[in-house]
Amino acid sequence: MNTTSKNIILSLLVLTSGIYAQADTLGDVQAKGSLSCGVSSGLVGFSSTDSVGRWKGLDVDVCRAVAAATLGDANKVKFVPLTAKERFTALQSGEIDLLVRNTTWTTTRDTSLGFNFAGVNYYDGQGFMVKKSLGVTSAKELDGATFCLQAGTTTELTLADYFISNGMSYKSSPSDTSAQSKKGFATGRCDALTSDQSQLYALKTTLKDPSSAIILKDIISKEPLGPVVRQGDDKWFNIVKWSLNTMIAAEEFGINSNNVNTKFKNPEALRLLGRSGNLHKHLGLDKKWAFNIISQVGNYAQSFDRNIGKDTPLKISRGLNALWRDGGILYSPPFR
Protein backbone atom coordinates (compact mmCIF):
# COMPACT_ATOMS: atom_id res chain seq x y z
CA MET A 1 0.00 0.00 0.00
CA ASN A 2 1.52 3.36 -1.03
CA THR A 3 1.70 6.47 1.17
CA THR A 4 -1.15 8.20 -0.64
CA SER A 5 -3.50 5.27 -0.07
CA LYS A 6 -2.54 5.11 3.62
CA ASN A 7 -3.21 8.82 4.05
CA ILE A 8 -6.63 8.50 2.40
CA ILE A 9 -7.58 5.60 4.65
CA LEU A 10 -6.35 7.43 7.75
CA SER A 11 -8.34 10.52 6.77
CA LEU A 12 -11.49 8.44 6.32
CA LEU A 13 -10.98 6.77 9.68
CA VAL A 14 -10.55 10.11 11.40
CA LEU A 15 -13.62 11.53 9.67
CA THR A 16 -15.71 8.47 10.48
CA SER A 17 -14.61 8.37 14.11
CA GLY A 18 -15.42 12.08 14.39
CA ILE A 19 -18.94 11.54 13.11
CA TYR A 20 -19.61 8.72 15.55
CA ALA A 21 -17.99 10.59 18.42
CA GLN A 22 -20.38 13.48 17.88
CA ALA A 23 -23.47 11.24 17.60
CA ASP A 24 -24.31 10.52 21.22
CA THR A 25 -27.95 11.43 21.58
CA LEU A 26 -28.35 9.29 24.69
CA GLY A 27 -25.48 11.13 26.37
CA ASP A 28 -26.95 14.49 25.35
CA VAL A 29 -30.41 13.57 26.66
CA GLN A 30 -29.04 12.32 29.97
CA ALA A 31 -26.85 15.40 30.34
CA LYS A 32 -29.86 17.67 29.77
CA GLY A 33 -32.03 15.57 32.03
CA SER A 34 -34.87 15.70 29.53
CA LEU A 35 -35.92 14.44 26.09
CA SER A 36 -36.86 16.95 23.37
CA CYS A 37 -39.62 15.29 21.36
CA GLY A 38 -41.22 16.78 18.26
CA VAL A 39 -44.99 16.27 18.03
CA SER A 40 -47.87 17.71 16.02
CA SER A 41 -49.14 21.18 16.77
CA GLY A 42 -52.37 19.64 18.00
CA LEU A 43 -54.03 16.40 16.85
CA VAL A 44 -56.59 14.91 19.22
CA GLY A 45 -55.77 11.34 20.19
CA PHE A 46 -52.18 11.52 18.95
CA SER A 47 -50.62 14.66 20.40
CA SER A 48 -52.60 17.48 21.96
CA THR A 49 -52.84 19.31 25.27
CA ASP A 50 -55.64 18.95 27.80
CA SER A 51 -57.33 21.69 29.83
CA VAL A 52 -54.29 22.10 32.08
CA GLY A 53 -51.74 22.10 29.26
CA ARG A 54 -50.61 18.50 29.70
CA TRP A 55 -49.64 16.66 26.51
CA LYS A 56 -51.36 13.36 25.79
CA GLY A 57 -51.92 10.99 22.87
CA LEU A 58 -50.64 7.87 21.13
CA ASP A 59 -47.55 9.68 19.78
CA VAL A 60 -46.97 11.43 23.09
CA ASP A 61 -46.83 8.03 24.80
CA VAL A 62 -43.94 6.96 22.55
CA CYS A 63 -42.02 10.08 23.63
CA ARG A 64 -42.80 9.28 27.25
CA ALA A 65 -41.71 5.66 26.79
CA VAL A 66 -38.30 6.74 25.50
CA ALA A 67 -37.92 9.15 28.43
CA ALA A 68 -38.82 6.35 30.87
CA ALA A 69 -36.24 4.06 29.26
CA THR A 70 -33.40 6.57 29.16
CA LEU A 71 -34.07 8.84 32.15
CA GLY A 72 -36.18 6.60 34.37
CA ASP A 73 -39.01 9.15 34.32
CA ALA A 74 -41.69 9.33 31.62
CA ASN A 75 -42.45 12.93 32.58
CA LYS A 76 -39.01 14.23 31.65
CA VAL A 77 -40.05 15.25 28.14
CA LYS A 78 -39.98 18.66 26.51
CA PHE A 79 -42.69 18.51 23.84
CA VAL A 80 -41.98 20.64 20.77
CA PRO A 81 -45.09 21.26 18.61
CA LEU A 82 -44.20 21.29 14.90
CA THR A 83 -46.03 21.74 11.62
CA ALA A 84 -45.50 19.26 8.79
CA LYS A 85 -43.13 21.73 7.11
CA GLU A 86 -41.08 22.31 10.25
CA ARG A 87 -40.69 18.75 11.52
CA PHE A 88 -37.79 17.47 9.39
CA THR A 89 -35.70 20.62 9.75
CA ALA A 90 -36.14 20.47 13.52
CA LEU A 91 -34.82 16.90 13.60
CA GLN A 92 -31.97 17.54 11.15
CA SER A 93 -30.80 20.62 13.07
CA GLY A 94 -30.79 18.87 16.44
CA GLU A 95 -33.56 21.04 17.88
CA ILE A 96 -35.30 17.80 18.86
CA ASP A 97 -33.89 14.40 19.83
CA LEU A 98 -36.82 12.43 18.45
CA LEU A 99 -39.72 13.05 16.07
CA VAL A 100 -43.02 11.32 16.85
CA ARG A 101 -45.44 13.34 14.77
CA ASN A 102 -47.78 11.05 12.78
CA THR A 103 -45.07 10.83 10.10
CA THR A 104 -45.33 8.35 7.21
CA TRP A 105 -42.40 6.01 6.58
CA THR A 106 -41.51 6.32 2.88
CA THR A 107 -38.54 5.42 0.68
CA THR A 108 -37.53 9.04 0.11
CA ARG A 109 -37.69 9.99 3.77
CA ASP A 110 -35.81 6.88 4.80
CA THR A 111 -32.99 7.25 2.28
CA SER A 112 -32.47 10.90 1.37
CA LEU A 113 -33.11 13.01 4.47
CA GLY A 114 -30.58 11.46 6.84
CA PHE A 115 -33.27 9.78 8.96
CA ASN A 116 -34.10 6.33 10.30
CA PHE A 117 -37.64 5.23 11.07
CA ALA A 118 -37.61 3.22 14.29
CA GLY A 119 -40.82 1.29 13.70
CA VAL A 120 -44.56 1.80 13.25
CA ASN A 121 -46.79 2.87 16.11
CA TYR A 122 -49.90 3.26 13.92
CA TYR A 123 -50.80 1.69 10.57
CA ASP A 124 -52.94 4.19 8.70
CA GLY A 125 -54.19 5.08 5.23
CA GLN A 126 -55.31 8.22 3.43
CA GLY A 127 -59.04 8.84 3.33
CA PHE A 128 -61.69 11.51 2.77
CA MET A 129 -64.15 13.47 4.90
CA VAL A 130 -67.14 15.13 3.22
CA LYS A 131 -70.25 16.96 4.31
CA LYS A 132 -73.29 14.69 4.51
CA SER A 133 -75.21 17.26 2.47
CA LEU A 134 -72.92 16.58 -0.49
CA GLY A 135 -74.56 13.18 -0.87
CA VAL A 136 -71.28 11.42 -1.74
CA THR A 137 -70.63 7.83 -0.68
CA SER A 138 -67.45 7.05 -2.64
CA ALA A 139 -64.22 8.84 -3.56
CA LYS A 140 -64.96 7.96 -7.19
CA GLU A 141 -67.78 10.53 -7.03
CA LEU A 142 -65.37 13.38 -6.25
CA ASP A 143 -64.30 14.14 -9.83
CA GLY A 144 -63.71 17.89 -10.14
CA ALA A 145 -63.87 18.45 -6.38
CA THR A 146 -61.71 20.84 -4.36
CA PHE A 147 -59.75 19.32 -1.47
CA CYS A 148 -58.47 20.88 1.72
CA LEU A 149 -55.18 19.26 2.73
CA GLN A 150 -52.04 19.88 4.72
CA ALA A 151 -49.01 21.04 2.77
CA GLY A 152 -45.66 19.27 3.17
CA THR A 153 -47.20 15.83 3.69
CA THR A 154 -47.51 12.63 1.66
CA THR A 155 -51.18 13.56 1.23
CA GLU A 156 -50.49 15.80 -1.76
CA LEU A 157 -48.66 13.21 -3.87
CA THR A 158 -51.04 10.39 -2.95
CA LEU A 159 -54.06 12.49 -3.94
CA ALA A 160 -52.45 13.34 -7.29
CA ASP A 161 -51.59 9.67 -7.92
CA TYR A 162 -55.14 8.56 -7.13
CA PHE A 163 -56.82 11.06 -9.43
CA ILE A 164 -54.39 10.41 -12.30
CA SER A 165 -54.91 6.66 -11.93
CA ASN A 166 -58.68 7.08 -12.08
CA GLY A 167 -58.74 9.66 -14.89
CA MET A 168 -60.32 12.34 -12.72
CA SER A 169 -59.52 15.99 -12.08
CA TYR A 170 -59.40 17.98 -8.83
CA LYS A 171 -58.26 21.20 -7.20
CA SER A 172 -56.40 21.54 -3.92
CA SER A 173 -56.47 24.12 -1.15
CA PRO A 174 -53.35 23.53 0.98
CA SER A 175 -52.78 24.81 4.53
CA ASP A 176 -49.82 24.72 6.91
CA THR A 177 -51.66 22.99 9.77
CA SER A 178 -54.43 20.44 10.18
CA ALA A 179 -56.44 23.03 12.14
CA GLN A 180 -56.35 25.37 9.14
CA SER A 181 -57.40 22.52 6.83
CA LYS A 182 -60.33 21.77 9.11
CA LYS A 183 -61.33 25.43 9.16
CA GLY A 184 -61.28 25.50 5.36
CA PHE A 185 -63.53 22.44 5.27
CA ALA A 186 -65.89 23.86 7.90
CA THR A 187 -66.24 27.21 6.10
CA GLY A 188 -66.90 25.63 2.69
CA ARG A 189 -63.57 26.48 1.06
CA CYS A 190 -63.41 22.92 -0.23
CA ASP A 191 -65.72 20.01 -0.98
CA ALA A 192 -63.70 17.45 0.94
CA LEU A 193 -60.88 17.16 3.44
CA THR A 194 -58.25 14.51 2.76
CA SER A 195 -55.63 13.23 5.16
CA ASP A 196 -54.64 10.10 7.04
CA GLN A 197 -57.89 8.53 8.19
CA SER A 198 -56.85 8.70 11.84
CA GLN A 199 -56.42 12.46 11.47
CA LEU A 200 -59.87 12.72 9.88
CA TYR A 201 -61.41 10.97 12.89
CA ALA A 202 -59.62 13.41 15.18
CA LEU A 203 -60.64 16.50 13.19
CA LYS A 204 -64.25 15.33 12.91
CA THR A 205 -64.61 15.37 16.70
CA THR A 206 -63.65 19.07 16.74
CA LEU A 207 -66.23 20.22 14.17
CA LYS A 208 -69.04 22.40 15.50
CA ASP A 209 -71.45 19.65 14.44
CA PRO A 210 -69.54 16.37 13.98
CA SER A 211 -72.68 14.63 12.72
CA SER A 212 -72.73 16.94 9.68
CA ALA A 213 -69.72 15.17 8.17
CA ILE A 214 -68.91 11.58 7.21
CA ILE A 215 -65.65 9.78 6.60
CA LEU A 216 -65.79 7.71 3.43
CA LYS A 217 -64.78 4.04 3.53
CA ASP A 218 -62.25 4.52 0.73
CA ILE A 219 -58.59 4.10 1.75
CA ILE A 220 -56.23 5.08 -1.08
CA SER A 221 -52.78 4.50 0.42
CA LYS A 222 -50.63 2.78 3.02
CA GLU A 223 -49.46 5.23 5.71
CA PRO A 224 -47.22 3.54 8.29
CA LEU A 225 -46.68 6.17 10.97
CA GLY A 226 -43.81 6.00 13.41
CA PRO A 227 -40.96 7.59 15.36
CA VAL A 228 -37.99 9.07 13.47
CA VAL A 229 -34.36 9.67 14.49
CA ARG A 230 -31.26 11.04 12.80
CA GLN A 231 -28.94 8.61 11.03
CA GLY A 232 -25.44 8.12 12.41
CA ASP A 233 -26.37 7.17 15.97
CA ASP A 234 -27.16 3.46 16.01
CA LYS A 235 -27.37 3.28 19.81
CA TRP A 236 -30.14 5.91 19.92
CA PHE A 237 -31.89 4.28 16.95
CA ASN A 238 -31.92 0.96 18.84
CA ILE A 239 -33.19 2.55 22.05
CA VAL A 240 -36.15 4.23 20.34
CA LYS A 241 -36.93 1.10 18.31
CA TRP A 242 -36.93 -1.22 21.31
CA SER A 243 -38.82 1.22 23.51
CA LEU A 244 -41.71 1.04 21.03
CA ASN A 245 -41.31 -2.73 20.77
CA THR A 246 -41.51 -2.98 24.56
CA MET A 247 -45.03 -1.54 24.56
CA ILE A 248 -46.14 -3.93 21.82
CA ALA A 249 -44.51 -7.01 23.34
CA ALA A 250 -45.89 -6.18 26.79
CA GLU A 251 -49.42 -6.37 25.41
CA GLU A 252 -48.69 -9.76 23.86
CA PHE A 253 -47.27 -11.09 27.15
CA GLY A 254 -50.23 -9.73 29.12
CA ILE A 255 -48.07 -7.27 31.03
CA ASN A 256 -49.51 -3.85 31.82
CA SER A 257 -48.97 -0.99 34.24
CA ASN A 258 -51.27 -2.62 36.79
CA ASN A 259 -49.65 -6.06 36.95
CA VAL A 260 -46.03 -5.32 36.01
CA ASN A 261 -44.83 -6.42 39.48
CA THR A 262 -46.37 -9.89 39.06
CA LYS A 263 -44.01 -12.89 39.05
CA PHE A 264 -44.34 -13.92 35.39
CA LYS A 265 -43.13 -17.34 34.21
CA ASN A 266 -42.66 -16.57 30.51
CA PRO A 267 -38.85 -16.51 29.94
CA GLU A 268 -39.14 -13.79 27.28
CA ALA A 269 -41.25 -11.65 29.60
CA LEU A 270 -38.62 -12.07 32.30
CA ARG A 271 -35.90 -10.91 29.90
CA LEU A 272 -38.05 -7.94 28.89
CA LEU A 273 -38.53 -6.90 32.51
CA GLY A 274 -34.82 -7.26 33.30
CA ARG A 275 -35.33 -10.14 35.71
CA SER A 276 -33.03 -12.38 33.69
CA GLY A 277 -30.43 -11.93 30.95
CA ASN A 278 -28.54 -8.76 30.12
CA LEU A 279 -30.48 -7.13 27.26
CA HIS A 280 -30.08 -3.77 28.97
CA LYS A 281 -26.32 -3.89 28.54
CA HIS A 282 -26.64 -4.09 24.76
CA LEU A 283 -28.68 -0.88 24.82
CA GLY A 284 -26.50 0.90 27.36
CA LEU A 285 -29.46 1.35 29.71
CA ASP A 286 -30.46 0.57 33.27
CA LYS A 287 -31.75 -2.94 33.94
CA LYS A 288 -35.24 -1.55 34.64
CA TRP A 289 -35.54 0.40 31.37
CA ALA A 290 -38.45 -1.70 30.00
CA PHE A 291 -40.05 -2.05 33.43
CA ASN A 292 -40.07 1.76 33.65
CA ILE A 293 -41.81 2.03 30.28
CA ILE A 294 -44.56 -0.42 31.19
CA SER A 295 -45.09 0.80 34.75
CA GLN A 296 -45.16 4.49 33.84
CA VAL A 297 -46.68 4.52 30.33
CA GLY A 298 -48.33 1.13 29.91
CA ASN A 299 -48.46 -1.36 27.07
CA TYR A 300 -49.63 -0.61 23.52
CA ALA A 301 -53.25 -1.60 24.21
CA GLN A 302 -53.45 0.73 27.20
CA SER A 303 -52.10 3.62 25.14
CA PHE A 304 -54.43 2.88 22.21
CA ASP A 305 -57.53 2.46 24.37
CA ARG A 306 -57.11 5.63 26.42
CA ASN A 307 -56.20 7.86 23.48
CA ILE A 308 -58.10 6.75 20.37
CA GLY A 309 -60.02 3.57 21.22
CA LYS A 310 -63.72 2.76 21.22
CA ASP A 311 -64.35 4.51 24.54
CA THR A 312 -62.85 7.82 23.34
CA PRO A 313 -64.48 10.46 21.11
CA LEU A 314 -62.50 9.07 18.14
CA LYS A 315 -63.91 5.53 18.59
CA ILE A 316 -61.23 3.92 16.40
CA SER A 317 -61.17 0.11 16.27
CA ARG A 318 -57.84 -1.70 16.44
CA GLY A 319 -58.06 -2.99 12.84
CA LEU A 320 -54.57 -3.40 11.39
CA ASN A 321 -53.20 -2.14 14.68
CA ALA A 322 -54.37 -5.22 16.54
CA LEU A 323 -51.78 -7.80 17.53
CA TRP A 324 -50.91 -10.40 14.89
CA ARG A 325 -52.73 -13.09 16.86
CA ASP A 326 -55.89 -10.94 16.96
CA GLY A 327 -56.20 -10.32 13.22
CA GLY A 328 -53.89 -7.30 12.95
CA ILE A 329 -50.31 -6.95 11.74
CA LEU A 330 -48.73 -5.58 14.91
CA TYR A 331 -45.93 -7.47 16.60
CA SER A 332 -42.50 -6.96 18.08
CA PRO A 333 -39.34 -8.87 17.15
CA PRO A 334 -38.30 -11.29 19.91
CA PHE A 335 -36.64 -10.15 23.13
CA ARG A 336 -33.79 -12.61 23.16
Side-chain angles (χ1 to χ4, degrees), residues 47-237:
S47 52
S48 62
T49 53
D50 60 18
S51 58
V52 295
R54 183 174 51 221
W55 284 92
K56 61 181 182 178
L58 195 74
D59 289 344
V60 165
D61 281 349
V62 176
C63 300
R64 297 179 67 240
V66 175
T70 57
L71 298 168
D73 188 344
N75 294 318
K76 290 185 176 181
V77 185
K78 176 188 176 184
F79 292 101
V80 182
L82 300 165
T83 66
K85 287 183 177 180
E86 297 169 336
R87 57 183 164 176
F88 296 137
T89 301
L91 183 59
Q92 289 166 332
S93 68
E95 178 186 352
I96 56 176
D97 307 305
L98 170 64
L99 176 66
V100 195
R101 189 203 175 282
N102 52 298
T103 299
T104 302
W105 188 349
T106 70
T107 306
T108 301
R109 291 172 176 177
D110 202 32
T111 60
S112 68
L113 298 181
F115 298 150
N116 280 327
F117 282 77
V120 177
N121 74 317
Y122 190 85
Y123 289 95
D124 210 344
Q126 187 169 328
F128 303 92
M129 181 164 65
V130 298
K131 295 284 183 62
K132 276 185 181 178
S133 57
L134 198 61
V136 171
T137 59
S138 168
K140 296 288 182 64
E141 300 173 54
L142 293 172
D143 190 10
T146 298
F147 292 88
C148 287
L149 51 82
Q150 195 172 352
T153 65
T154 57
T155 301
E156 295 177 285
L157 180 58
T158 301
L159 183 67
D161 288 349
Y162 179 78
F163 273 76
I164 290 171
S165 298
N166 288 281
M168 301 190 300
S169 63
Y170 74 98
K171 295 179 181 178
S172 64
S173 178
S175 300
D176 286 337
T177 67
S178 58
Q180 291 171 348
S181 295
K182 184 202 74 173
K183 183 177 180 181
F185 174 75
T187 57
R189 196 173 73 224
C190 54
D191 303 301
L193 176 59
T194 184
S195 183
D196 294 345
Q197 197 171 60
S198 62
Q199 189 165 13
L200 296 179
Y201 279 112
L203 294 176
K204 185 174 182 289
T205 66
T206 64
L207 292 173
K208 186 175 182 180
D209 178 13
S211 65
S212 67
I214 60 171
I215 297 172
L216 303 180
K217 294 182 179 180
D218 305 75
I219 300 293
I220 65 170
S221 70
K222 300 189 296 290
E223 306 290 338
L225 312 178
V228 193
V229 298
R230 289 180 293 276
Q231 290 180 359
D233 190 343
D234 288 346
K235 178 186 286 188
W236 185 246
F237 174 50

Side-chain angles (χ1 to χ4, degrees), residues 239-296:
I239 288 170
V240 174
K241 175 170 49 180
W242 287 100
S243 293
L244 172 58
N245 286 335
T246 290
M247 297 180 69
I248 297 169
E251 179 186 357
E252 181 173 346
F253 299 150
I255 308 172
N256 58 50
S257 59
N258 300 313
N259 68 7
V260 69
N261 286 303
T262 300
K263 293 183 178 180
F264 296 96
K265 295 181 179 180
N266 183 326
E268 192 170 357
L270 295 178
R271 289 193 293 270
L272 173 68
L273 294 171
R275 295 173 189 169
S276 69
N278 58 0
L279 296 180
H280 65 288
K281 292 183 179 179
H282 303 314
L283 292 168
L285 297 176
D286 181 88
K287 197 169 187 176
K288 296 184 68 175
W289 69 278
F291 174 90
N292 290 335
I293 292 174
I294 301 167
S295 62
Q296 297 178 32

